[in-house]
């Protein structure tokens, strides 16, 4: 897909990098936002690592002026990010488990899945989703490159292979006689640096008449709701609906339907098939979303120009709140240690003098420190012990779940704060 941008105002900062788009190979030169230097967002530090150097990499976001894929450059290989001690486990979020179970119920009914069918999930994490297909008697296989996470899934009885997915892995599975009636993935497409290899592998693995579903945060929502903290090195790409359609079309697949979801501040779930499978025509809501994106300006460079200014304003507001609270003798702590929180903390320069500590339900993060900002991470019970005045919710997309879990902080006058899309103290 090529978009004519000759008449677009030259409002985006232009930077000659030599880098090329990972989807269409066009030169990358148009800056969406520069978030400075940042460490890998999931590299939580042990106490004996605090006196060591920590690697930081540019978190500079570009938009391709040909296919409008928004992306960051690859500074660390996927093996360096995911292969060893990856600390993210999907099952620690009860709302995400409920979301996965609803999807499985809907997909099973819509596609008529049963014991004769094969489901393959890409980026299957700890088996959080596939367990629900198993409970319905459907054959499952997970593909999860983080070996420690895949081991947890296998121990729970969800067959999972600790490999990276692409054309080579798809060829191996097909050679074993595995073809998928459903290939699914949630929040994995952004984490793939070799996008064409990944999507090309899906095409090979998908059985004739099979279906692909992929969930990802919607770029339009990211821009409109100022969700800059969802940008980090582990997320290489950020997709509009039109760009996702183009990515699959390059490899012989047609997106025939789309759902707009509330997860992660606004996500899409696309439904796709082999292009040669004419049994499922493109739905009206897919056509409507393409039109709405176009009318919103998602395929014009000027649409991206104001994002950086809103990001800078958001940083100033958060810092003003934290500084004023500190000067007034108030205590502010965090809830959660997600990847998005580490982008926000590093970009805004928030350290333990302004945020005393944060807590997380994942025990693998307890006793560690946030990357870059080195804020200590404790179990959630720490909040009950110290009774802070404010709790800054770093995974703001789970704010309802967290407020429900921790509603008792109101007993001592504690209040919740969310930083995105605009800083707000919850009543």
């Amino acid at each position: 897909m090529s978009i004519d941008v000759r008449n677009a105002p030259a409002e985006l900062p232009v930077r000659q990098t030599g880098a090329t788009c990972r989807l269409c190979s066009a030169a990358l030169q148009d800056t969406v936002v520069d978030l400075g230097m940042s460490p890998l967002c999931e590299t939580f530090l042990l106490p004996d690592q605090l006196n060591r150097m920590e690697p930081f990499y540019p978190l500079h976001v570009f938009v391709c002026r040909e296919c409008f894929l928004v992306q960051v450059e690859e500074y660390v290989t996927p093996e360096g990010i995911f292969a060893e001690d990856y600390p993210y486990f999907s099952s620690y979020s009860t709302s995400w488990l409920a979301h996965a179970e609803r999807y499985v119920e809907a997909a099973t009914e819509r596609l008529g899945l049963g014991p004769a069918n094969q489901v393959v999930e890409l980026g299957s994490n700890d088996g959080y989703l596939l367990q629900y297909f198993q409970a319905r008697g459907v054959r499952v296989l997970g593909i999860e490159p983080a070996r420690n996470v895949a081991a947890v899934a296998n121990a729970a009885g969800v067959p999972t292979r600790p490999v990276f997915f692409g054309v080579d892995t798809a060829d191996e599975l097909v050679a074993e006689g595995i073809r998928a009636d459903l290939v699914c993935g949630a929040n994995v497409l952004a984490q793939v640096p070799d996008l064409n290899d990944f999507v090309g592998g899906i095409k090979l693995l998908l059985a004739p008449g099979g279906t692909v579903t992929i969930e990802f945060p919607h770029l339009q929502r990211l821009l409109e709701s100022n969700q800059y903290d969802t940008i980090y090195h582990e997320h290489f790409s950020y997709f509009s609906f039109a760009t996702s359609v183009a990515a699959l079309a390059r490899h012989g697949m047609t997106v025939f339907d789309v759902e707009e979801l509330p997860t992660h501040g606004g996500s899409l779930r696309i439904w796709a098939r082999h292009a040669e499978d004419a049994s499922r025509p493109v739905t009206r809501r897919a056509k409507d979303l393409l039109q709405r994106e176009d009318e919103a300006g998602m395929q014009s460079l000027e649409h991206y120009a104001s994002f950086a200014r809103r990001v800078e304003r958001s940083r100033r507001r958060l810092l003003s709140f934290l500084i004023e609270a500190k000067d007034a003798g108030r205590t502010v702590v965090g809830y959660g240690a997600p990847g998005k929180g580490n982008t926000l903390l590093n970009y805004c320069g928030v350290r333990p003098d302004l945020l005393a500590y944060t807590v997380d339900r994942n025990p693998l993060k307890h006793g560690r420190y946030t990357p870059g900002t080195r804020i200590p991470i404790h179990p959630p019970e720490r909040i009950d012990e110290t009774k802070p005045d404010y709790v800054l919710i770093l995974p703001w997309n789970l704010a309802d779940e967290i407020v429900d879990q921790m509603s008792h902080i109101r007993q001592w006058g504690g209040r919740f704060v969310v930083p995105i899309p605009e800083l707000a103290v919850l009543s």
Side-chain angles (χ1 to χ4, degrees), residues 34-279:
D34 184 352
L35 297 175
M37 302 290 289
S38 186
L40 298 181
C41 72
E42 296 285 354
T43 53
F44 297 96
L45 304 175
L46 291 166
D48 63 1
Q49 296 175 309
L50 294 178
N51 202 32
R52 301 181 192 174
M53 183 191 74
E54 203 175 345
F56 282 61
Y57 307 93
L59 195 52
H60 194 117
V61 186
F62 295 91
V63 59
C64 173
R65 59 171 57 194
E66 293 296 325
C67 69
F68 287 91
L69 178 66
V70 170
Q71 57 203 284
V72 298
E73 293 186 63
E74 178 186 352
Y75 293 99
V76 182
T77 65
E79 290 80 4
I81 296 173
F82 302 110
E84 293 295 338
D85 186 21
Y86 192 61
Y88 179 75
F89 290 81
S90 297
S91 293
Y92 284 114
S93 170
T94 54
S95 62
W96 186 248
L97 286 175
H99 171 76
E101 188 171 17
R102 288 192 299 270
Y103 160 75
V104 169
E105 182 179 359
T108 301
E109 181 177 350
R110 180 172 182 174
L111 303 177
L113 299 176
N117 297 113
Q118 175 74 62
V119 173
V120 177
E121 184 185 8
L122 309 179
S124 55
N125 201 261
D126 56 8
Y128 74 101
L129 183 145
L130 291 179
Q131 63 179 332
Y132 298 119
F133 278 120
Q134 275 188 319
R136 288 164 170 77
V138 181
R139 290 182 292 126
V140 302
L141 176 65
I143 305 295
E144 172 51 57
R147 286 190 284 271
N148 64 312
V149 181
V152 170
N154 281 310
V158 179
T160 303
R161 300 196 186 187
V163 296
F164 287 91
F165 183 77
V167 169
D168 290 344
T169 299
D171 281 337
E172 293 170 6
L173 294 173
V174 172
E176 295 175 28
I178 298 174
R179 299 292 296 275
D181 301 294
L182 171 62
V183 178
C184 59
N187 303 317
V188 64
L189 194 62
Q191 296 176 319
V192 178
D194 193 340
L195 191 56
N196 287 302
D197 181 59
F198 184 84
V199 179
I202 294 175
K203 172 69 175 178
L204 295 173
L205 181 61
L206 188 63
T211 303
V212 181
T213 68
I214 302 175
E215 291 183 36
F216 52 87
H218 189 190
L219 176 61
Q220 186 176 356
R221 300 281 85 78
L222 185 157
L223 296 173
E224 292 175 352
S225 299
N226 202 34
Q227 299 168 10
Y228 67 91
D229 59 338
T230 60
I231 298 168
Y232 37 88
H233 297 105
E234 288 86 341
H235 285 176
F236 298 99
S237 305
Y238 305 84
F239 294 85
S240 66
F241 180 50
T243 301
S244 72
V245 169
L248 270 69
R250 287 173 67 93
H251 296 276
M253 290 176 285
T254 298
V255 174
F256 65 88
D257 198 8
V258 62
E259 297 174 73
E260 296 180 73
L261 308 171
T263 52
H264 295 284
S267 297
L268 300 179
R269 180 188 291 140
I270 59 174
W271 295 71
R273 53 168 170 76
H274 288 294
E276 58 270 23
D277 175 9
S279 63

